[in-house]
Amino acid sequence: MPKLFAIKFTEKSNTGGFWSAIDVWIKKPHVVNKRLCGVKETQSKNVGCEELRNILLTHGSDTSESKDVLTFLNSGVELEHDQERLWSFCVRTFIPKVNCYGTTVHKDIILKDFNTQRVSFLPVEESEEGTASLRKNNIYQIHLLAEKGDEWTLELHLMRPDDWFSDGVAYPKLPWLSGELLPKLVRWATESKTSEFKSTLSLLPVEKYSIMYQQLKDKYKEMVKVWPEVTDPEKFVFEDVAIATYLLVLWGEERAVKGLTVKQSFVDLGCGNGLLVHILSNEGHPGKGIDVRKRKIWDMYGPQTHLEETAITPGDGFLFPGTDWLIGNHSDELTPWIPVIAARSSFSCRYFVLPCCFFDFYGKYQRRHCKKSQYKEYIDFISEVSTACGFNTEEDCLRIPSTKRVCLVGKSRSYQLSDEPQAEEGRDKYIQGRQPCSGVTVRESNAEDEAEHHHDHSETDRIHGTNWGAGFQPRERIETVRNCAALPRDFVDGIVLRVATSLLGLTKDGGGDVPGTWNMGGRLSVREVAELLEQETLQVLKKECGGLQTLLKNNHQVFRVEGGMVHIRDWRVQAQRPRGLQGTRADSKRKHLISGALKTRACWFHVHHPHGCPLQAEECAFAHGPDDLRPSTRPLKKMNDKRDESCHLWCTSPLSPPLSRLFPRDDGV
C-alpha cells in the first residue's frame, strides 16, 4: 500500500486519543481547512464487505473498481477463517465557505476500523439529479500503528498517489495533508483536551448559516470602508455580521417550527455601535437598540434603524411586553438582567445573550469555583440566572473572531403560563439572594451610598415592583479614558526624559562613552523607576489604569518593559519572538517599519540620546529632523480623534451615499 507520510510520537494513554483527533477532522474539518464552513454528517452504522460493495456500486463504481477499493481497504489485514470484516460507516457532506462547485455536492464516505486503528476517506461527487460518482484517485487512509513501548506511528496512505487531484477545498493538496493535517492529528491525539463548551453552531443547520453568512458578508462588507469609530472595522463589522447571521437563521428555524410568517421583533439592550440592530432591521425584523451612549456611526444608518440614547435601569420602566426577543451582545453590566427582563416582559418573550465582561446584578462578578476557568464559571452563572427565571436554557458557540463566543438562548419556559405567580416569586427570591448584603461587591464608586440606598428602599421597591433593580448602577454616559493617553504631552515627555536619563546614567562609565559604541543604558524595576518621581506625579499616574507601567509601555519607541524591568529599547536588535513566527506577517510588518515607510513621528533617540539614533535615517521608522517628517496616513482603524472630524464631514457631505442606499432593506415584500 503506498505510504506518503509517517509521524512517530509517544502516547502514554490508549488509542482513544487517536479516535478523538480523527473525530475532530471528521466532524469539524473547518478547524484546519479554513475554506470550509463545516460539514453535515449522517448517522453511523456498521457495514460488512458485501454491504460496502453495494454502497460503492450505487455511488458510480463498477464491479472491477469496487474490488480495487476493497483490496485497498483490506490491505495488510489478516482475518481468521469465516470472520467478516466490519467498518463503522458514515457520510459527511462538505459545506464550503464560498460555493465553488455550483449544484454539485461533495461528500466523503468514511469507514472506521476500530480493530486495526485505521480510518478511510472515499470522496463522492453527487450531481443535482442525484447521480453519484466515486473519485477513486482521491481515496486516502490514516492508520495508527503501535511501536515498542509507548511509541506510535501515524501513517497516511493513498490508493493512487500519482493521480491525486487537488482544489484546496474538498480535495486538499498532498503537502497539506502530510505537513499540516497529520501533525495536527498527532497534537490533538496527545493533548486529549475536552472543551468546556458545546461545539460551534450546535443549535443551527450549518449549511443555512454558511449560505446566509456569505450573503450578508457580501452585502455589508462596504461598512469596513466607511467605519467612523476608533474600533477595528474588520473585526467589528464581520463579527456583527456573524451574530446577525446566527440570529436570522435561529429565528428562521423558529418560524418554520411554529408555522409563523411574520418576522420576529427585537430590542438590543446595550447595542453599542448599533450595527447589529441595523442589519437585523435591514433584513426585515422590526426592532430597536438602546445604549447609554450614542456613537458617531448612528447618524449613518438612516431613519429605518431605530436607536435610542438612554441609560437602562432594570425595573418596570424597561419592560418590553410586545417584543419577541431581547438581545444582549456584550452587554456588560446588563448581561445577568436580560433573562430577568425577558421573563418579566411577557410569557412569550425570549432572549439571546453573548456574555463578555463579568458582571453580577449589582457589580463585578465574584468568583466561587477555582476548578473552572473564569469564563466557564461566568457562563454557568448566567445559565443559572436563566434557569432561575424559568427558561429552558440552551448554550451554543458562535463562529466569530473573539475568545468570548459562547451564547445562551432562552426560547421557551420550563413552566406553564398559569404558574407565572410562583415563577415570579422564585425569580424575586433569587435576585434578592444576590444583593450586596449577601456578599456581592457593588462597584467601587459610591458603593456605600448605594448600599445605604438599598437598605432604605429595597423592601418598598420589592413590594411595589417598580424599581426591582435598585442598587444597579449603569455606566456613565461619558466614558473616562484612563490609559494615560489623555495626560498632557509635556507631563508625559518629562517623565520619559527623566527615566531614560537615569537608565543611560547607569552605564555611562561602563562602555557607553567608548568611541564607536552606543549607550544601551542599564535597567531598573518599575518600583525603582517610581522612586525617581515626585509624589505629586505618582498621584496623577495612580488615577490611570496601569499607572506608571502603562505610561512606559505606551512609549514603546523609547522603552522595553519585560518581567517588571525597564530597559532602553535598542532598535538594532529585533525583539525576541516565539518560534514559528519567522516569515510571518509579524516579520513583514517589522520590515515595513525598518524600511522607513512611516516617519510620522520624531525619533526620540535622534533628539535626546547622547549618541543619537543607533540607526541610519533611511533605516529608522521615525523622523530624523523636521525635513524627514511625513504627514500621518494611518488607516481608519488606527486614527486618533482628529479622524472624527473627517468622518463627520464624510457622513454629512452631500456627495456621500447614505447607508440606506448602500444596503437596501429586505422587508420580504
Side-chain angles (χ1 to χ4, degrees), residues 12 24 47 102 124 144 189 253 279 286-287 291 372 421 449 522 530 534 572 616 641 654 669:
K12 294 184 178 180
V24 175
V47 298
V124 173
L144 181 69
E253 293 296 294
I279 296 174
D291 200 280
K372 298 180 182 179
D449 294 340
E534 293 85 358
R572 298 171 299 179
Q616 297 296 320
D641 291 339
V669 295

Side-chain angles (χ1 to χ4, degrees), residues 199-216:
S199 59
T200 306
L201 305 180
S202 61
L203 301 181
L204 301 182
V206 178
E207 187 172 16
K208 288 184 179 180
Y209 175 90
S210 175
I211 294 171
M212 181 167 289
Y213 177 74
Q214 288 303 320
Q215 291 173 347
L216 295 182

Side-chain angles (χ1 to χ4, degrees), residues 338-439:
I338 287 177
V340 181
I341 297 173
R344 287 176 168 170
S345 290
S346 71
F347 183 74
S348 61
C349 187
R350 289 87 77 193
Y351 80 87
F352 165 92
V353 68
L354 182 60
C356 180
C357 300
F358 309 137
F359 284 91
D360 207 320
F361 289 109
Y362 302 101
K364 289 287 187 179
Y365 177 78
Q366 304 298 311
R367 296 201 64 179
R368 294 176 292 175
H369 304 287
C370 60
K371 293 184 179 180
K372 298 180 182 179
S373 69
Q374 186 178 16
Y375 184 44
K376 172 60 175 172
E377 181 181 343
Y378 188 67
I379 292 295
D380 288 347
F381 163 62
I382 301 301
S383 180
E384 177 187 297
V385 173
S386 176
T387 302
C389 288
F391 284 99
N392 293 315
T393 310
E394 296 180 274
E395 179 186 304
D396 205 353
C397 198
L398 303 187
R399 191 169 291 172
I400 57 176
S402 173
T403 56
K404 307 289 178 59
R405 56 194 189 99
V406 177
C407 69
L408 294 171
V409 181
K411 295 191 292 185
S412 62
R413 304 294 174 91
S414 58
Y415 61 92
Q416 300 297 319
L417 178 59
S418 57
D419 298 326
E420 183 64 46
Q422 294 90 327
E424 174 56 33
E425 185 178 343
R427 282 191 286 266
D428 184 66
K429 183 177 180 181
Y430 182 83
I431 296 170
Q432 291 290 322
R434 299 198 69 85
Q435 287 180 340
C437 56
S438 300

Side-chain angles (χ1 to χ4, degrees), residues 462-483:
R462 188 182 68 81
I463 294 173
H464 294 288
T466 57
N467 191 20
W468 29 267
F472 170 83
Q473 182 181 356
R475 64 178 58 189
E476 298 295 331
R477 182 178 178 276
I478 299 177
E479 191 171 22
T480 304
V481 178
R482 296 176 57 205
N483 61 354

Side-chain angles (χ1 to χ4, degrees), residues 172-385:
K173 296 179 180 179
L174 288 181
W176 185 89
L177 280 174
S178 59
E180 294 288 337
L181 178 60
L182 251 61
K184 286 277 189 182
L185 292 174
V186 168
R187 183 166 66 84
W188 294 338
T190 52
E191 285 180 351
S192 297
K193 287 185 177 179
T194 56
S195 174
E196 294 180 299
F197 305 104
K198 290 192 174 182
S199 59
T200 306
L201 305 180
S202 61
L203 301 181
L204 301 182
V206 178
E207 187 172 16
K208 288 184 179 180
Y209 175 90
S210 175
I211 294 171
M212 181 167 289
Y213 177 74
Q214 288 303 320
Q215 291 173 347
L216 295 182
K217 185 179 179 182
D218 292 340
K219 186 174 180 179
Y220 295 98
K221 63 184 178 182
E222 295 299 320
M223 287 291 302
V224 174
K225 300 178 182 178
V226 299
W227 191 255
E229 303 293 335
V230 296
T231 50
D232 184 345
E234 290 190 2
K235 177 186 186 300
F236 281 85
V237 170
F238 295 127
E239 181 171 318
D240 280 355
V241 166
I243 297 170
T245 303
Y246 187 93
L247 289 170
L248 290 171
V249 175
L250 181 72
W251 294 347
E253 293 296 294
E254 182 183 61
R255 292 197 302 275
V257 171
K258 295 183 178 180
L260 303 175
T261 56
V262 179
K263 291 188 175 182
Q264 295 90 332
S265 60
F266 71 92
V267 174
D268 187 350
L269 301 176
C271 63
N273 59 54
L275 180 56
L276 179 60
V277 177
H278 176 68
I279 296 174
L280 295 176
S281 299
N282 223 32
E283 298 306 312
H285 286 270
K288 66 178 180 179
I290 306 174
D291 200 280
V292 68
R293 188 168 60 254
K294 181 179 179 179
R295 309 303 200 271
K296 290 183 284 293
I297 196 173
W298 284 17
D299 293 330
M300 297 175 63
Y301 291 134
Q304 78 280 3
T305 302
H306 302 287
L307 299 168
E308 297 179 8
E309 184 181 18
T310 304
I312 303 169
T313 301
D316 285 0
F318 281 96
L319 294 180
F320 308 93
T323 300
D324 295 318
W325 282 80
L326 298 186
I327 298 171
N329 175 19
H330 292 184
S331 45
D332 296 343
E333 67 273 9
L334 283 173
T335 297
W337 286 104
I338 287 177
V340 181
I341 297 173
R344 287 176 168 170
S345 290
S346 71
F347 183 74
S348 61
C349 187
R350 289 87 77 193
Y351 80 87
F352 165 92
V353 68
L354 182 60
C356 180
C357 300
F358 309 137
F359 284 91
D360 207 320
F361 289 109
Y362 302 101
K364 289 287 187 179
Y365 177 78
Q366 304 298 311
R367 296 201 64 179
R368 294 176 292 175
H369 304 287
C370 60
K371 293 184 179 180
K372 298 180 182 179
S373 69
Q374 186 178 16
Y375 184 44
K376 172 60 175 172
E377 181 181 343
Y378 188 67
I379 292 295
D380 288 347
F381 163 62
I382 301 301
S383 180
E384 177 187 297
V385 173

